[in-house]
């Protein structure tokens, strides 16, 4: 066990985590020349297309150091704030972390939040200064920033370049010397932590685990503590690029387990695996429950696919435990699911993965957040409002509380003005402004979560020319003056387009929604009024004009009453059509409501 090291790589997005993992694999000879490719561990199509890590990836390497062979279990983690739950799970399976900082971009918001996650779990931190070979790198200044942040010695920071391979040997030496070996009781009953799992259509659920006490053998009779189900370990092994079956996985090591489980609901990330005959008395404390930030409805395009969508979501949840969903129904879209996501990028990725991995074409409704409403009748009883249609009648409503977040934005000093005006426009209140260096400023705001879930991140990048980094943490609920804005199409309410908005923004957003829908809804044989309303009060209106046949074309001259008679007849027909006509809403209309600033 003293020759095992478990560590992960944490950093802000684009600071070179996956490239560093590639170099470590090259240096330890874990991959052959034939298998080599850039960002080797990013195995999903989506990850390769977008150039980001979405899933954490575990891999085992063997390394000879001073004549002794060490087993290094590495987990490469995502850098985007929307996948921070992946990072927290990886950290739970490790004793140490490489904190990678880009020498050109210095410390960013996500670097700090990932560092705090690691420190909370008492991990040994090894700071790595990456991309020192870049012409724009500023190693001396960034080294000082890291020393200020960690309180470490400047000599402990390893200068490296994941592209050229500089400093890789120093990193491996530091991993062996500085990161403690795992501790555990070899002869105690089996206790293993499930930190990830994936669905294989041929072999069922593959579970990734870390052994805390005891060992797990092939063919052993095991039990999952949370579900209470027991199975036989058909296959256990270690995770290299491919899976390597082994006879036994011992204390402190990381491996995979196949038991032939076909039902995705039987495996829970954070659960404890133990021996069925000699079970452990205490389960491992799992991960903290995920707190979804953004909610949206996901509906199958064809209602008959509802059950298929459910099983696809369950299989996806195995691989992405931060996805939360519950069944719901909508008047416009039929049966579907109310899903909780960690942010807008997470929502986009889930939608893409459902389409690619499970061939499910889905409709996503307008994302929103979860509110707490209180009525006059029971001022202390919380009414949970996940959907605008759940909001009680305005006459019965006492108050509404909405979730607030503490936003941390790190930007260049030149962009403080535009960033501040964007945050104030989004109802943010500045709480602190700290100059980290003469060039870089950290701004702290208290903001409503509802204001940042749509386009805030994109607009922040635009006003700061890409230099601002953003991170957030929930700080509870506060009272707000919110109203429900309904969209009426041809006088009938479209519940999927309703939104809960702050009183000050309601008129402006209602008007812009109507204008946007006017562009997107195709013309019919009759006029379609598009209205935005608060309760019974109409606050904005646009009309999609009818396609009209020129019925007076055959009247050459003659009395005007002949034309008038034909036009009146046509008017009556249009009126009748409008009473019975249905308006189809294109899928783009649901998503376009989010992009009102475009």
């Amino acid at each position: 066990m003293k020759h095992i090291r478990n560590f992960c790589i944490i950093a802000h997005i684009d600071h070179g985590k996956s490239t560093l993992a590639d170099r470590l694999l090259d240096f330890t000879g874990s991959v052959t020349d034939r298998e080599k490719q850039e960002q080797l561990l990013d195995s999903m199509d989506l990850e390769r297309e977008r150039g980001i890590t979405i899933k954490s990836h575990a891999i085992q390497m063997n390394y000879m150091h001073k004549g002794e062979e060490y087993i290094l279990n590495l987990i490469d983690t995502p850098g985007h704030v929307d996948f921070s739950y992946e990072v927290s799970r990886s950290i739970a399976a490790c004793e140490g972390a490489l904190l990678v900082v880009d020498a050109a971009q210095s410390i960013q918001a996500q670097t700090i939040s990932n560092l705090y996650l690691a420190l909370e779990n008492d991990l040994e931190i090894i700071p790595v200064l990456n991309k020192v070979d870049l012409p724009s790198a500023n190693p001396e200044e960034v080294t000082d920033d890291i020393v200020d942040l960690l309180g470490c010695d400047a000599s402990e920071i390893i200068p490296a370049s994941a592209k050229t391979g500089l400093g890789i040997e120093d990193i491996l030496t530091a991993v062996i010397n500085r990161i403690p070996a795992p501790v555990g009781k070899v002869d105690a009953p089996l206790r293993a932590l499930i930190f990830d799992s994936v669905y294989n259509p041929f072999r069922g659920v593959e579970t990734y685990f870390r052994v805390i006490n005891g060992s797990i053998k092939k063919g052993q009779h095991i039990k999952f503590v949370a579900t209470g189900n027991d199975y036989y370990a058909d296959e256990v092994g270690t995770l290299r690029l491919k899976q390597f079956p082994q006879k036994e996985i011992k204390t402190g090591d990381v491996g995979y387990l196949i038991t032939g489980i076909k039902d995705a609901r039987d495996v829970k990330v954070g659960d404890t695996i133990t021996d069925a005959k000699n079970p452990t008395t205490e389960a491992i404390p799992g991960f903290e429950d995920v707190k979804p930030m953004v909610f949206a409805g996901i509906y199958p395009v064809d209602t008959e696919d509802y059950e298929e969508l459910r099983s696809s979501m369950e299989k996806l949840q195995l691989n992405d435990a931060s996805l939360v969903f519950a069944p719901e129904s909508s008047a416009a879209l039929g049966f579907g699911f109310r899903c909780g996501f960690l942010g807008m990028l997470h929502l986009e990725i889930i939608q893409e993965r459902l389409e690619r991995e499970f061939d499910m074409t889905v409709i996503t409704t307008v994302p929103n957040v979860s509110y707490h409403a209180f009525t006059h009748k029971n001022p202390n009883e919380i009414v949970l409002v996940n959907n605008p249609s759940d909001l009680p009648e305005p006459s019965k409503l006492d108050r509404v509380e909405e979730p607030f977040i503490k936003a941390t934005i790190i930007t260049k000093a030149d962009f403080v003005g535009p960033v501040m005006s964007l945050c104030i426009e989004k109802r943010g209140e500045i709480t602190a402004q700290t100059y980290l260096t003469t060039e870089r400023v950290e701004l702290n705001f208290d903001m409503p979560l509802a204001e940042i879930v749509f386009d805030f991140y994109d607009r922040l990048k635009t006003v700061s020319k890409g230099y601002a980094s953003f991170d957030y943490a929930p700080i509870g609920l506060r009272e707000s003056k919110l109203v429900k804005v309904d969209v009426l199409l041809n006088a009938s309410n479209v519940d999927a387009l309703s939104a809960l908005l702050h009183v000050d923004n309601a008129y402006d957003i209602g008007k812009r929604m109507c204008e946007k829908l006017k562009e997107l809804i195709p013309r019919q044989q009759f006029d379609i009024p598009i209205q935005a309303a608060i309760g019974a009060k109409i606050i904005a209106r646009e009309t999609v004009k009818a396609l009209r046949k020129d019925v007076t074309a055959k009247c050459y001259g003659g009395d005007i009453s002949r034309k008038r008679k034909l036009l009146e007849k046509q008017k009556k027909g249009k009126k009748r059509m409008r009473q019975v006509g249905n308006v189809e809403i294109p899928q783009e209309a649901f998503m376009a409501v989010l992009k009102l600033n475009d």
Side-chain angles (χ1 to χ4, degrees):
M1 206 159 70
K2 66 178 198 292
H3 288 117
I4 296 176
R5 298 288 182 274
N6 298 318
F7 68 102
C8 59
I9 305 181
I10 54 176
H12 188 78
I13 193 165
D14 268 352
H15 279 203
K17 294 177 296 301
S18 299
T19 313
L20 179 62
D22 288 353
R23 290 296 82 77
L24 291 170
L25 291 171
D26 286 353
F27 196 84
T28 54
S30 305
V31 288
T32 59
D33 286 346
R34 195 165 60 86
E35 292 167 325
K36 273 183 198 171
Q37 55 171 338
E38 296 290 310
Q39 279 84 39
L40 183 69
L41 293 181
D42 292 349
S43 51
M44 221 189 293
D45 294 349
L46 265 172
E47 292 179 315
R48 304 199 71 79
E49 278 169 29
R50 290 175 179 242
I52 56 173
T53 305
I54 293 167
K55 281 287 305 159
S56 52
H57 300 274
I59 192 161
Q60 193 176 79
M61 306 179 285
N62 289 21
Y63 181 57
M64 291 296 286
H65 179 67
K66 294 186 177 169
E68 295 187 32
E69 188 170 5
Y70 286 84
I71 293 173
L72 308 179
N73 288 311
L74 154 73
I75 304 180
D76 176 26
T77 65
H80 197 281
V81 63
D82 281 13
F83 305 111
S84 56
Y85 190 65
E86 287 284 327
V87 182
S88 73
R89 285 163 35 195
S90 309
I91 283 172
C94 296
E95 278 84 29
L98 297 179
L99 180 75
V100 180
V101 179
D102 186 329
Q105 294 181 41
S106 188
I107 290 161
Q108 303 282 311
Q110 199 58 30
T111 316
I112 296 170
S113 88
N114 283 342
L115 170 68
Y116 287 156
L117 265 179
L119 291 174
E120 274 170 30
N121 285 276
D122 299 329
L123 262 62
E124 179 64 40
I125 306 289
I126 300 177
V128 175
L129 185 62
N130 194 18
K131 305 191 186 181
V132 289
D133 58 322
L134 284 184
S136 57
N138 197 344
E140 293 83 9
E141 194 179 305
V142 180
T143 302
D144 293 345
D145 290 351
I146 298 172
V147 169
D148 290 348
L149 177 69
L150 288 176
C152 64
D153 203 85
S155 60
E156 290 174 29
I157 300 167
I158 303 170
S161 163
K163 197 172 176 186
T164 60
L166 172 77
I168 299 299
E169 192 171 355
D170 299 344
I171 292 173
L172 286 166
T173 308
V175 165
I176 288 165
N177 294 339
R178 291 199 225 166
I179 292 176
V183 288
K185 299 174 186 142
V186 183
D187 46 4
L190 167 66
R191 260 175 100 211
L193 171 77
I194 299 176
F195 66 88
D196 202 358
S197 51
V198 62
Y199 190 81
N200 179 331
F202 304 108
R203 308 196 65 182
V205 179
E206 295 174 359
T207 312
Y208 299 162
F209 61 86
R210 150 86 198 268
V211 183
I212 310 290
N213 291 341
S215 72
I216 183 166
K217 300 180 182 68
K218 183 179 177 172
Q220 186 175 346
H221 193 192
I222 53 159
K223 179 179 168 184
F224 287 11
V225 175
T227 57
N229 298 340
D230 51 318
Y231 305 96
Y232 286 94
D234 296 343
E235 187 181 301
V236 292
T238 49
L239 295 154
R240 302 286 173 92
L241 260 187
K242 297 185 181 71
Q243 294 170 337
F244 273 79
Q246 306 279 1
K247 291 269 186 341
E248 183 179 20
I249 305 287
K250 295 181 178 158
T251 312
D253 211 346
V254 173
Y256 73 91
L257 162 74
I258 296 174
T259 52
I261 302 173
K262 286 284 185 276
D263 191 345
R265 284 168 294 196
D266 289 349
V267 179
K268 291 190 167 42
V269 167
D271 194 358
T272 307
I273 306 174
T274 187
D275 188 56
K277 298 189 183 87
N278 179 15
T280 177
T281 46
E282 47 182 321
I284 303 164
F287 313 113
E288 59 195 74
D289 274 343
V290 60
K291 294 188 189 75
M293 294 286 185
V294 177
F295 294 87
I298 286 188
Y299 293 85
V301 171
D302 188 346
T303 5
E304 291 168 5
D305 295 339
Y306 174 70
E307 280 306 323
E308 201 179 323
L309 178 61
R310 180 198 289 276
S311 74
S312 303
M313 301 273 267
E314 281 167 357
K315 287 170 190 169
L316 193 53
Q317 197 178 30
L318 268 181
N319 200 232
D320 184 350
S322 50
L323 169 67
V324 179
F325 64 91
E328 73 162 3
S329 61
S330 141
L333 302 166
F335 289 104
F337 295 95
R338 173 120 200 109
C339 304
F341 306 95
L342 295 180
M344 287 296 282
L345 177 66
H346 189 206
L347 183 154
E348 220 177 290
I349 295 294
I350 292 288
Q351 195 180 340
E352 282 267 333
R353 286 185 72 183
L354 278 170
E355 288 188 9
R356 289 179 185 214
E357 294 171 29
F358 302 100
D359 287 334
M360 293 300 307
T361 327
V362 292
I363 292 173
T364 313
T365 64
V366 179
N368 59 12
V369 299
S370 203
Y371 302 91
H372 286 183
F374 300 86
T375 55
H376 291 300
K377 197 174 171 185
N378 299 338
N380 296 324
E381 190 187 326
I382 296 172
V383 178
L384 200 63
V385 180
N386 280 333
N387 221 339
S389 55
D390 302 341
L391 193 72
E393 294 287 313
S395 55
K396 296 176 187 167
L397 197 61
D398 178 37
R399 66 185 193 280
V400 182
E401 291 182 352
E402 66 174 325
F404 268 68
I405 55 154
K406 179 181 191 283
T408 307
I409 296 168
I410 297 178
T411 182
K412 287 181 109 175
D414 318 358
F415 304 115
V416 171
V419 169
M420 272 191 178
S421 28
L422 171 66
C423 293
I424 290 160
E425 178 199 324
K426 296 281 187 186
R427 299 193 281 137
E429 291 171 18
I430 188 157
T431 54
Q433 179 178 355
T434 324
Y435 275 82
L436 302 172
T437 67
T438 50
E439 278 295 298
R440 292 167 68 246
V441 190
E442 182 181 320
L443 301 168
N444 288 5
F445 287 90
D446 285 357
M447 295 173 78
L449 180 62
E451 295 287 342
I452 70 150
V453 296
F454 294 156
D455 56 352
F456 178 77
Y457 192 64
D458 293 345
R459 288 186 61 196
L460 177 68
K461 285 288 185 196
T462 310
V463 298
S464 65
K465 297 189 178 157
Y467 278 108
S469 67
F470 170 67
D471 186 44
Y472 58 85
I475 52 170
L477 294 126
R478 296 185 187 176
E479 193 177 329
S480 285
K481 289 187 76 178
L482 297 169
V483 289
K484 178 183 167 198
V485 176
D486 288 316
V487 174
L488 301 148
L489 266 189
N490 200 12
S492 59
N493 190 353
V494 182
D495 61 349
L497 290 173
S498 300
L500 278 176
L501 303 169
H502 194 264
V503 167
D504 302 346
N505 303 341
Y507 171 73
D508 181 42
I509 291 181
K511 190 170 186 304
R512 296 214 317 256
M513 273 165 111
C514 290
E515 286 167 358
K516 197 84 177 174
L517 287 169
K518 184 185 176 184
E519 295 168 23
L520 290 165
I521 288 175
R523 289 170 71 187
Q524 309 283 340
Q525 290 288 336
F526 51 92
D527 282 5
I528 307 168
I530 303 168
Q531 296 161 309
I534 299 173
K537 184 183 172 193
I538 303 290
I539 56 167
R541 169 176 170 141
E542 293 287 335
T543 309
V544 178
K545 285 302 201 189
L547 291 165
R548 296 184 53 178
K549 187 178 171 191
D550 188 359
V551 288
T552 59
K554 60 186 182 195
C555 299
Y556 292 106
D559 191 4
I560 186 69
S561 59
R562 286 177 64 204
K563 289 184 181 174
R564 176 70 51 232
K565 187 177 160 191
L566 286 167
L567 289 168
E568 286 297 325
K569 190 176 164 190
Q570 185 186 34
K571 193 172 165 187
K572 275 183 195 160
K574 296 280 179 203
K575 189 178 174 187
R576 197 165 57 247
M577 255 182 186
R578 197 168 115 193
Q579 284 164 350
V580 296
N582 277 334
V583 183
E584 288 275 315
I585 306 170
Q587 163 70 19
E588 304 88 77
F590 293 109
M591 293 316 281
V593 177
L594 312 182
K595 304 190 177 89
L596 290 175
N597 285 313
D598 292 1

